[in-house]
Amino acid sequence: MNALVIGGTGPSGPHIVNGLIERGYEVAVLHGGQHEAEFIQPVEHIHTDPHFAETLEAALDGRSFDLSIATYGRIRLIAEALKGKTQRLITVSGGMLYAPRNDPRWGPLGAPAAIPEESPVTVDPDGPRLPYMIWVTEQTVLQAHHEGHYNSTIFRYPGIYGPGAPANPEWSIVRRALDGRRQLVVSSGRGVGRRAYGQNAAHAVLLGVDKPEESAGQVYNVGEEAQYSQTQIARFIGGLMGHEWELVELPPSLAARVYRGGSAQAGPGTEMDITKIRAELGYHDVVSVAEALTRSTEWLIANRPEPGGEIEQQLGDPFAYDAEDELIRAYREGIAQAEGVEFPEVNSGHMYRHPQRPGEAWAPPRRR
């Protein structure tokens, strides 16, 4: 059996490639060559740009594969280029295609806390460009599946973290600890949305490899079973690094000003429901979140991104410490003012009666 992996060098790619090798596949990895990765055994590398039809067609001319997995590039073009060249196509999509939470199609209550696969998506060509193109791409893959060009499955990735992840969200925390920050702004509440460590995301894709009939023509949300707040993640990483700091919880709208483009760090992320992949494919995390965060932190310390370089620009974090301190001061002044607003005392009690004698009605507790 032979397999093609398009991408293969990002946070989940090496785990996918290694999983295929362990399953007996002869693997070829097609990627742009900007980043390389190590695998458990040598594989063929096809260096070309996966974003253009002409480069894909030239690189794949005369080739055929039992299985193809596309994790990178313009997948709508890959889906066309692989017609007649593969029996099975698995593609990676993303949760950004879901409709905004104020879209009327969600109904009178708006979007639920966890969004399942059949939820409203962005289909307006005049709306946000990227979500719309993700939907167009998925439709291209599914149409080719229904036309019989190949057996296809789509996995919608959440925010991916871990070694090799672009815009790795943990760097915002790790760098501040390395820089000796004693206060860290974090988003209050859940905040970060569904996430997945690279190896856990790869495990989801490999379940599709193992279960081609069950997953045929299906779309699955991907994400770890256990999700944690930014406060919990920051406290854990600080402990790993032996760094003591005060975590200052701000509303997501204010925390987002600190991290700017770091949607995995602040602001309400997309909480994708993973009931379907658990029920149909038997998904469970293969790496615990604690172990995943430990590996991610250790890797970032050993492979520190260049200050102001490509990774930090992708992350969208300005590391503007003076502005952070000013924001914390202003927030605390506002909180102090709000706490000064007086409310009348209420002698409240439990909602169920606690009778002292048979038949006694509900009554508030006696004042002491």
Side-chain angles (χ1 to χ4, degrees):
M1 300 182 295
N2 66 339
L4 172 70
V5 177
I6 299 177
T9 62
S12 66
H15 301 291
I16 292 173
V17 173
N18 290 339
L20 293 175
I21 294 170
E22 291 168 346
R23 287 161 172 76
Y25 282 91
E26 182 179 338
V27 182
V29 177
L30 186 154
H31 60 108
Q34 288 87 359
H35 307 283
E36 297 293 345
E38 294 184 2
F39 309 109
I40 56 176
Q41 71 182 43
V43 301
E44 178 188 2
H45 287 253
I46 304 172
H47 286 170
T48 193
D49 194 326
H51 294 86
F52 302 96
E54 57 268 29
T55 53
L56 284 166
E57 290 170 1
L60 298 175
D61 185 41
R63 305 290 298 266
S64 63
F65 305 91
D66 298 301
L67 166 69
S68 297
I69 300 176
T71 68
Y72 184 67
R74 291 195 175 97
I75 291 177
R76 66 185 181 279
L77 301 180
I78 293 169
E80 295 292 340
L82 285 173
K83 288 180 178 179
K85 296 182 180 296
T86 192
Q87 299 176 30
R88 178 109 169 92
L89 175 62
I90 295 175
T91 66
V92 168
S93 183
M96 288 183 64
L97 86 167
Y98 290 116
R101 288 184 174 272
N102 60 355
D103 191 299
R105 288 176 293 165
W106 290 111
L109 291 177
I115 298 175
E117 289 84 350
E118 66 274 12
S119 298
V121 298
T122 302
V123 298
D124 182 3
D126 297 323
R129 179 67 176 172
L130 181 57
Y132 171 71
M133 292 310 302
I134 293 174
W135 176 75
V136 168
T137 295
E138 287 194 359
Q139 293 304 301
T140 301
V141 173
L142 292 174
Q143 181 177 346
H145 169 86
H146 293 304
E147 291 174 353
H149 295 287
Y150 35 64
N151 174 349
S152 69
T153 304
I154 297 171
F155 290 91
R156 289 175 181 161
Y157 271 15
I160 304 295
Y161 68 98
N168 195 320
E170 272 57 70
W171 180 240
S172 286
I173 299 171
V174 172
R175 178 178 163 182
R176 283 174 169 81
L178 292 171
D179 288 345
R181 293 285 293 166
R182 292 303 171 188
Q183 292 181 315
L184 179 73
V185 170
V186 290
S187 179
S188 60
R190 289 301 303 255
V192 298
R194 186 71 66 174
R195 293 163 31 113
Y197 182 63
Q199 189 173 346
N200 286 328
H203 173 59
V205 171
L206 291 168
L207 286 172
V209 173
D210 295 336
K211 300 183 178 183
E213 295 182 3
E214 295 91 331
S215 63
Q218 297 298 314
V219 177
Y220 295 101
N221 287 338
V222 175
E224 288 167 335
E225 297 170 288
Q227 298 292 305
Y228 297 93
S229 69
Q230 190 190 12
T231 298
Q232 291 172 296
I233 293 170
R235 184 178 294 118
F236 181 83
I237 291 175
L240 283 176
M241 299 179 66
H243 182 74
E244 294 184 4
W245 48 17
E246 178 188 8
L247 302 181
V248 184
E249 289 195 345
L250 268 60
S253 60
L254 292 179
R257 298 189 66 191
V258 172
Y259 299 104
R260 302 288 292 276
S263 59
Q265 285 295 344
T270 301
E271 182 69 32
M272 299 193 295
D273 189 304
I274 61 169
T275 300
K276 182 178 177 181
I277 194 171
R278 294 180 67 183
E280 295 186 5
L281 301 186
Y283 175 84
H284 291 287
D285 296 344
V286 293
V287 180
S288 71
V289 175
E291 177 62 24
L293 285 172
T294 300
R295 295 180 190 177
S296 182
T297 300
E298 291 173 347
W299 185 86
L300 282 167
I301 293 173
N303 300 270
R304 303 180 188 187
E306 176 189 358
E310 178 180 336
I311 298 300
E312 290 193 354
Q313 290 182 50
Q314 293 170 348
L315 185 59
D317 188 335
F319 297 96
Y321 297 155
D322 289 343
E324 290 176 29
D325 292 339
E326 184 178 351
L327 179 63
I328 291 171
R329 285 193 296 270
Y331 179 72
R332 284 178 167 164
E333 289 173 1
I335 289 294
Q337 184 176 356
E339 289 175 344
V341 178
E342 295 185 1
F343 282 79
E345 291 187 12
V346 177
N347 189 26
S348 61
H350 195 274
M351 71 284 295
Y352 294 111
R353 69 190 186 97
H354 292 274
Q356 303 300 312
R357 294 179 296 276
E360 190 174 51
W362 183 92
R366 296 183 179 90
R367 292 182 182 273
R368 293 183 178 181

